[in-house]
Amino acid sequence: MLDYLKLMFKKQHKDGLKNQAEFTKVFSDIMLPRPKTFAFKKLFNIKPCNELPLSFAFIAAFPCLINTFASKEFITSPIGLIHLSAEFTRHQQINYREKITVKIKVEHAGTHPKGVLLKITSELIQNDLLCIKNTNVMLQVKSGGKNAKNAIVKQFKASDSSTINQQTLWRYARASGDYNPIHLSSLLAKIFGMRTAIVHGMYLVHYSLLSQHINSGYIKATFKKPCPVGTTVGIDDSTEQLQVFSNTTDLHLTIDHGHEPQL
């Protein structure tokens, strides 16, 4: 949590990420703390002998990501960035009990009607082999920008549902290291333009993959609409794309999985 407090007070660049230069940071000999893996498995009821989901790569690289945000090369505070999508591709099996190298690349990804896009790619490398590549697209909303209304009007059929309370999100924060205050405090969430605290987007990804037993080598999660804490979410698996809804019509997340699309 201390690392997040430091990021909150990082000086804001007057132009935000508009002039962010491309840079790469490499973190070698990273050992994932056993308690973190244990806490994650306990939170999602994963048996000790079972594999972690592909999306766990985000958590494995997360301390390196925070370090990258705190570096002088990252020109402004990352607090308030909106996570638009997270894409994962497995190239080789990875053993989280052994040391890994994390390579993070930050690059400007163009403009958006609501602000500036940033692409952050994390590569998890073990024994000199690329094991998992995770590409995240984030949005820094320009001053005065507003979130678009969700145009989805659909009745979803839940194959699984769960109510996500604040206690669950504190457990997830301890397991992941993601103490972003917009997820843990309604007061602080309001400071950043939210009506209340919202669920971690990646929590919804992990929950969806595990509840639906998805273990493919490629997934792409697209975040559609913030999910307030205390919401009961359901997963519609009636199509090949998983859809995470609430209130029968509010779409929060879609997950494509299977084979990586060919360019």
Side-chain angles (χ1 to χ4, degrees):
M1 180 178 289
L2 180 60
D3 291 334
Y4 256 107
L5 290 175
K6 290 179 181 179
L7 291 179
M8 288 180 67
F9 292 102
K10 184 174 182 177
K11 185 178 179 180
Q12 293 280 357
H13 192 280
K14 65 177 182 178
D15 294 323
L17 293 171
K18 183 178 179 180
N19 298 315
Q20 176 66 58
E22 179 180 313
F23 71 94
T24 300
K25 295 185 77 68
V26 178
F27 304 84
S28 302
D29 297 329
I30 302 298
M31 282 292 295
L32 194 66
R34 291 284 185 88
K36 178 176 288 191
T37 305
F38 176 78
F40 183 89
K41 287 190 169 185
K42 185 176 181 181
L43 175 61
F44 291 102
N45 297 313
I46 303 173
K47 294 180 179 179
C49 58
N50 287 0
E51 288 187 15
L52 292 161
L54 181 57
S55 56
F56 187 77
F58 185 84
I59 290 178
F62 194 76
C64 303
L65 181 61
I66 293 298
N67 186 294
T68 300
F69 284 151
S71 69
K72 63 181 181 180
E73 293 90 346
F74 197 84
I75 63 174
T76 193
S77 173
I79 301 298
L81 285 179
I82 297 174
H83 203 170
L84 297 183
S85 66
E87 189 172 10
F88 299 84
T89 304
R90 181 188 292 118
H91 295 271
Q92 301 281 343
Q93 291 296 329
I94 191 168
N95 183 354
Y96 286 116
R97 294 184 178 182
E98 297 182 1
K99 291 181 180 180
I100 62 174
T101 294
V102 178
K103 180 179 179 181
I104 295 183
K105 181 179 181 180
V106 175
E107 54 189 317
H108 195 275
T111 58
H112 185 279
K114 300 177 191 173
V116 179
L117 292 173
L118 192 71
K119 183 165 74 171
I120 302 175
T121 303
S122 301
E123 294 183 349
L124 276 63
I125 300 164
Q126 195 167 62
N127 300 322
D128 297 323
L129 295 173
L130 173 61
C131 296
I132 299 174
K133 183 176 181 179
N134 168 214
T135 302
N136 301 278
V137 176
M138 299 186 178
L139 168 68
Q140 184 181 56
V141 178
K142 60 187 176 183
S143 179
K146 296 182 179 180
N147 291 330
K149 293 183 179 179
N150 194 338
I152 291 292
V153 179
K154 173 182 175 179
Q155 296 288 321
F156 84 96
K157 181 180 179 182
S159 61
D160 192 18
S161 62
S162 175
T163 299
I164 306 170
N165 58 36
Q166 194 68 78
Q167 181 182 8
T168 297
L169 295 184
W170 271 104
R171 291 179 63 194
Y172 178 71
R174 287 189 286 270
S176 66
D178 189 348
Y179 287 95
N180 191 326
I182 66 171
H183 304 304
L184 303 174
S185 166
S186 293
L187 178 60
L188 291 176
K190 289 177 181 178
I191 293 175
F192 293 104
M194 305 292 177
R195 293 183 179 180
T196 186
I198 59 173
V199 176
H200 299 76
M202 287 305 301
Y203 173 88
L204 291 176
V205 175
H206 305 312
Y207 163 70
S208 302
L209 294 176
L210 290 165
S211 65
Q212 300 301 305
H213 308 289
I214 303 296
N215 192 31
S216 63
Y218 172 81
I219 60 171
K220 182 176 181 180
T222 303
F223 305 103
K224 299 292 187 178
K225 182 179 182 180
C227 180
V229 175
T231 298
T232 298
V233 298
I235 301 174
D236 187 335
D237 64 351
S238 59
T239 66
E240 291 185 1
Q241 182 187 71
L242 296 183
Q243 298 176 316
V244 181
F245 283 84
S246 66
N247 301 322
T248 73
T249 57
D250 290 335
L251 178 61
H252 300 293
L253 169 72
T254 63
I255 299 178
D256 296 287
H257 57 94
H259 299 289
E260 184 176 7
Q262 299 297 315
L263 298 177

